[in-house]
Amino acid sequence: MPNSNAKFHRGSREASRRELVSRSLQSAQHCLEEQDFGTAYAHYLLVLNLAPELKTSVKETFQFTLFKWAEELDSLARIQDLFNCYEQALELYPNDEVICNSMGEHLFRMGFRDEAAGYFHKAVKLNPDFADAKENFYRVANWLVERWHFIMLNDAKRNLAYLEAIENAVRSGCTSVLDIGTGTGILSMFAKKAGASCVYACELSKTMYELARDVVAANNMEREIKLLHLKSLDIEIPKHIPERVSLVVTETVDAGLFGEGIVESLIHAWEHLLLQPK
C-alpha cells in the first residue's frame, strides 16, 4: 500500500504540473495577443522552470516576448529590471547567441561598452556566422581599442626591440614572466617563444582580455600563457600566480601614464610580484 500511495501522489503531482504548464502557456499566448509583454514573460518563466523539456519548442516565442518586454522596460528607465530579465533568460538559455547579442545592444546604448563587448564576443563565439553580433563586436571594439594600439602592433622596429630585450632577459635567467596590461598578448608570446618556462599576463579591459585569449589560442599558446582578467594591483600570490616572477614586462606607457595608474602598478609589481635581487 505505501508504494501504491507514493505512485498515486507522484502521478497526481505530475498531472497538476502538466495542467499548470498548459494553463500558463495559454495565458502567455493571450497576454501576447493583448501586448501585455510583462505578464507574458512571467508566464513563460514559469513554464520553462516547470517544464524545461519545452525549451526548444517555445524558444523563439520566449525570445520575442523578452525583447518586447525589454523595450518597454528601457522606455520606462527600469534598467535594473531589464538586466534582471536578461539574467533570467540567460540562466535558461546560457548558450543563446541571440539573447547575448540583444543584451550587448542594451548595454552598449547605456554606455557600458566594455560589458557590451563581452556579450557580443560570446555571441560570435557561439555562432561565428551571426552577422549582427560580428558587426556589433567590431563596432564596440573600435570604441574600446585605442588607435595607437594598432600603430604599435605595426611598428616593426618597436616590436623587434621588445623581442630582443625579452630574449636577452630570458637568456640571462629570467624564466618566469608577468606581462602587465597585455593587450593582444604580443609581449607574453615573445616571452614564451624566447624560452620562458612560466608566463602570466593580466589585462583589466574585458574586451582586450577576450581578444588576447583569441590571439594566444590562434598561436597555440593557450596552455602555455596564463591570462588573468585582473588589474595588476589585485594579483595575489599564490591565489593567481604561484610565486614571484623574475621578469615584469609592460607596454602601458602612453599619454595616459599617470591616469592608468601604471606607476602604482609597477611599484606593486616590484614590491610584491617580482623576485628581489640577492
Side-chain angles (χ1 to χ4, degrees), residues 35-49:
Q35 297 191 348
D36 182 358
F37 300 113
T39 306
Y41 175 76
H43 280 297
Y44 277 119
L45 280 183
L46 178 62
V47 167
L48 290 169
N49 278 287

Side-chain angles (χ1 to χ4, degrees), residues 26-158:
Q26 292 174 11
S27 296
Q29 187 59 46
H30 175 75
C31 290
L32 285 179
E33 293 170 359
E34 298 294 319
Q35 297 191 348
D36 182 358
F37 300 113
T39 306
Y41 175 76
H43 280 297
Y44 277 119
L45 280 183
L46 178 62
V47 167
L48 290 169
N49 278 287
L50 287 174
E53 67 274 12
L54 297 179
K55 282 184 180 180
T56 302
S57 61
V58 303
K59 180 178 176 179
E60 290 187 10
T61 310
F62 174 77
Q63 288 176 342
F64 172 81
T65 307
L66 168 66
F67 300 154
K68 286 294 186 179
W69 179 224
E71 288 176 9
E72 284 192 24
L73 292 172
D74 194 7
S75 68
L76 296 169
R78 292 172 56 183
I79 306 307
Q80 190 56 57
D81 288 336
L82 185 152
F83 287 152
N84 289 342
C85 286
Y86 273 96
E87 288 175 1
Q88 291 167 338
L90 287 170
E91 285 181 7
L92 292 167
Y93 296 98
N95 296 318
D96 188 288
E97 70 273 19
V98 178
I99 295 176
C100 286
N101 183 64
S102 181
M103 175 67 156
E105 289 174 339
H106 281 286
L107 286 165
F108 184 77
R109 284 196 294 270
M110 294 172 191
F112 301 106
R113 291 169 182 161
D114 203 23
E115 294 82 354
Y119 281 98
F120 293 145
H121 183 264
K122 182 178 180 180
V124 174
K125 295 283 280 186
L126 289 167
N127 182 1
D129 297 324
F130 190 3
D132 287 350
K134 286 197 290 187
E135 181 180 344
N136 284 332
F137 180 69
Y138 295 142
R139 177 163 56 109
V140 75
N142 283 333
W143 282 91
L144 292 170
V145 181
E146 300 288 350
R147 290 289 176 264
W148 54 259
H149 206 101
F150 296 107
I151 296 171
M152 287 196 311
L153 288 173
N154 288 283
D155 186 342
K157 185 176 180 180
R158 163 196 169 275

